Structures are given as structure tokens and as C-alpha cells.
């Protein structure tokens, strides 16, 4: 196999709808860039969605850690790089890196994925074809995974009822949507004054049309917040950590 398949590099321009009130890229748009590049690379190396769905399988993002050095801004041209790491029995790890066209490192991320079958059971990595002879093991970011913190009490910092616009092709809430829900726990003033340094999201359960999600935030230390998303008042669907400078 061609060793160039170890990674994928793509160039894009930050669009207006991908940015916030400061015209900086939104966290959900960062995850969208990663989702698209991972999907394209998986197709190229033989285990993309078009291949898996023939056997009733699909990708699920388990957790992701994102480190932000500088947010790209509207109309800025960037390069997005992604590469998978050696899979273990059932976990597929993948790194992402964003840089300016001049080579300035902007964002690094590390993620964990798994593949589910039609019965929502994890598929062993040994069953998945892969067109890579050797993997790049260097991580784009070193994740210090959080321990989930339960804080579901009092008035939620953000709530919504899931409708069709939140769905992806797997008929549940798309993983990038949760980033918007999580950051909706912070005010415009806070996000204007603070500088985002890193965030991580742990996907615990799926959410579907009609579910009511309540999000609660808790300040663990100055500038470091835990956020928990609760479904229908009882089940944790997502846990996150957000750190500001």
C-alpha cells in the first residue's frame, strides 16, 4: 500500500456561518471540519461509511479532546490534517491538526471512535479492512481525559427539545451539535472576555427526537468548567470539560 494513505491533508476557507459573534470559528464548526476530514480519509483507506453500511455498520465518536492555540477567523485559509493510529481490539484513535497556510499551528485534537452494528454492539477492529501498512503514532494533542462530574441540580444553564434539525444519517443527534449545546451554557459576555484553551466531549448515550436535554455547568477551578447533559431528567448523554485562559 502507498504510505501516503497514512494521513489526509485538505485546504479550506473559514466561512461566515462557521464563525461566532467575534467571527472566530465556533467549536461545533471545528468538530464539523474534523468529521468531514475523518470521513473522507476513512473512505480512501477502505473503511468509510459507504463500505460499512453494506454490512449494517456505522462509526460512533466516543470522545474527543481539542486544544486551541488560536482560533481561525472568517475568510482565513487553513489546512486540516488527520491521521489514524493503530487500532486496538475495538477502539480506533485518530488525530487532527489545523494550521495556517504559513505553517502556524492553530488547533490540535485527539479522538476515540468505535464501530457499531445494527444491534448497537461494538464491532472488533479485526473485522474492519484497512488500506494502511504503517500508522503514524504521534498524537496531535495529548488528552488528559476528565472524570465525569455529576451536577444535575437546580436550574439548567441551557435546555432544548430535540427535533429533526439535530439529526444525522444515523437518526440521532449529530455529535457536532453537542458542542453548540455545551457552549450555550456560557453567556456572550463570558465568551467575549475569555479565551478558549481546550475542551473535551465524552459521548455517553444517544439522543432522539422528542428527548428533552438539560445542560448544567460547574466551575471546577478558575476558568475550568465541567458540563453535563441530562436526557429527560434522568440519563447522562454527554459530559464535557471546557477550559478558558
Amino acid at each position: 500500500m502507498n504510505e501516503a494513505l497514512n494521513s489526509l491533508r485538505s485546504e479550506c476557507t473559514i466561512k461566515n456561518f462557521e464563525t461566532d459573534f467575534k467571527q472566530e470559528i465556533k467549536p461545533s464548526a471545528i468538530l464539523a471540519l474534523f468529521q468531514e476530514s475523518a470521513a473522507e480519509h476513512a473512505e480512501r483507506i477502505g473503511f468509510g461509511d459507504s463500505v460499512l453500511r453494506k454490512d449494517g455498520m456505522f462509526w460512533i465518536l466516543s470522545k474527543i479532546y481539542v486544544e486551541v492555540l488560536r482560533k481561525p477567523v472568517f475568510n482565513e485559509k487553513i489546512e486540516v490534517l488527520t491521521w489514524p493510529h493503530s487500532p486496538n481490539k475495538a477502539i480506533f484513535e485518530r488525530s487532527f491538526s489545523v494550521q495556517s497556510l504559513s505553517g502556524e499551528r492553530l488547533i490540535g485534537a485527539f479522538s476515540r471512535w468505535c464501530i457499531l452494528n445494527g444491534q448497537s454492539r461494538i464491532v472488533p477492529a479485526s473485522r474492519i479492512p484497512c488500506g494502511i501498512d504503517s500508522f503514524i503514532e504521534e498524537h496531535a494533542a495529548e488528552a488528559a481525559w476528565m472524570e465525569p462530574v455529576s451536577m444535575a441540580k437546580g436550574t439548567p444553564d441551557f435546555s432544548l427539545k430535540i427535533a429533526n434539525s439535530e439529526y444525522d444519517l444515523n437518526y440521532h443527534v449529530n455529535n457536532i451539535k453537542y458542542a453548540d449545546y455545551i457552549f450555550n451554557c456560557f453567556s456572550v459576555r463570558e465568551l467575549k472576555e475569555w479565551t478558549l484553551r481546550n475542551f473535551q466531549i465524552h459521548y455517553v448515550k444517544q439522543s432522539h427526537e422528542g428527548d428533552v436535554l438539560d445542560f448544567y455547568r460547574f466551575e471546577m477551578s478558575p476558568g475550568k468548567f465541567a458540563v453535563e447533559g441530562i436526557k429527560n431528567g434522568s440519563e447522562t448523554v454527554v459530559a464535557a470539560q471546557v477550559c478558558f485562559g
Side-chain angles (χ1 to χ4, degrees):
M1 294 291 178
N2 187 346
E3 194 167 327
L5 290 176
N6 279 13
S7 63
L8 176 72
R9 181 188 301 265
S10 54
E11 183 179 315
C12 62
T13 302
I14 303 301
K15 300 174 180 62
N16 193 47
F17 66 82
E18 296 174 317
T19 64
D20 60 14
F21 48 84
K22 295 190 289 185
Q23 290 212 298
E24 297 176 342
I25 192 170
K26 295 184 291 186
S28 58
I30 294 172
L31 298 188
L33 290 177
F34 294 164
Q35 181 173 273
E36 290 301 307
S37 62
E40 182 179 348
H41 191 224
E43 290 288 347
R44 293 192 183 193
I45 58 181
F47 57 102
D49 187 72
S50 65
V51 174
L52 296 184
R53 286 194 178 272
K54 293 176 182 178
D55 295 317
M57 299 183 291
F58 55 94
W59 283 103
I60 288 290
L61 178 60
S62 170
K63 59 178 69 173
I64 187 165
Y65 172 84
V66 181
E67 199 171 67
V68 181
L69 300 178
R70 177 175 73 79
K71 287 184 183 179
V73 297
F74 169 57
N75 220 27
E76 183 174 359
K77 296 184 186 300
I78 60 170
E79 284 188 332
V80 180
L81 296 83
T82 185
W83 59 96
H85 306 295
S86 300
N88 67 14
K89 292 181 179 180
I91 296 175
F92 297 81
E93 297 178 331
R94 178 175 284 273
S95 279
F96 301 92
S97 180
V98 177
Q99 63 185 37
S100 69
L101 296 191
S102 64
E104 177 192 2
R105 186 170 181 269
L106 305 176
I107 299 169
F110 178 73
S111 59
R112 286 183 174 169
W113 305 70
C114 63
I115 295 174
L116 299 185
N117 62 21
Q119 292 74 47
S120 295
R121 294 176 180 171
I122 295 176
V123 178
S126 59
R127 286 189 50 195
I128 307 303
C130 181
I132 294 181
D133 281 342
S134 60
F135 289 87
I136 300 171
E137 299 302 347
E138 179 185 358
H139 293 181
E142 294 302 327
W145 298 118
M146 67 175 286
E147 291 293 330
V149 178
S150 180
M151 64 204 78
K153 57 184 178 181
T155 303
D157 294 280
F158 176 72
S159 299
L160 82 160
K161 183 177 181 179
I162 300 303
N164 67 83
S165 62
E166 313 302 310
Y167 263 29
D168 61 17
L169 78 172
N170 295 317
Y171 286 85
H172 56 68
V173 176
N174 192 305
N175 71 76
I176 68 175
K177 295 283 189 175
Y178 288 101
D180 283 332
Y181 308 158
I182 289 161
F183 281 88
N184 279 348
C185 292
F186 301 91
S187 68
V188 170
R189 180 188 60 79
E190 290 171 330
L191 295 177
K192 186 176 181 179
E193 293 178 355
W194 300 341
T195 300
L196 179 63
R197 293 305 181 196
N198 62 70
F199 67 93
Q200 59 182 281
I201 304 176
H202 298 229
Y203 300 92
V204 181
K205 289 184 180 294
Q206 298 173 3
S207 297
H208 302 90
E209 184 179 20
D211 287 337
V212 174
L213 303 188
D214 295 319
F215 287 80
Y216 301 82
R217 83 179 210 189
F218 171 75
E219 189 166 16
M220 305 167 69
S221 59
K224 182 178 181 179
F225 294 85
V227 178
E228 183 181 22
I230 304 294
K231 178 171 71 173
N232 301 327
S234 59
E235 292 183 291
T236 299
V237 294
V238 66
Q241 184 173 283
V242 182
C243 295
F244 297 96

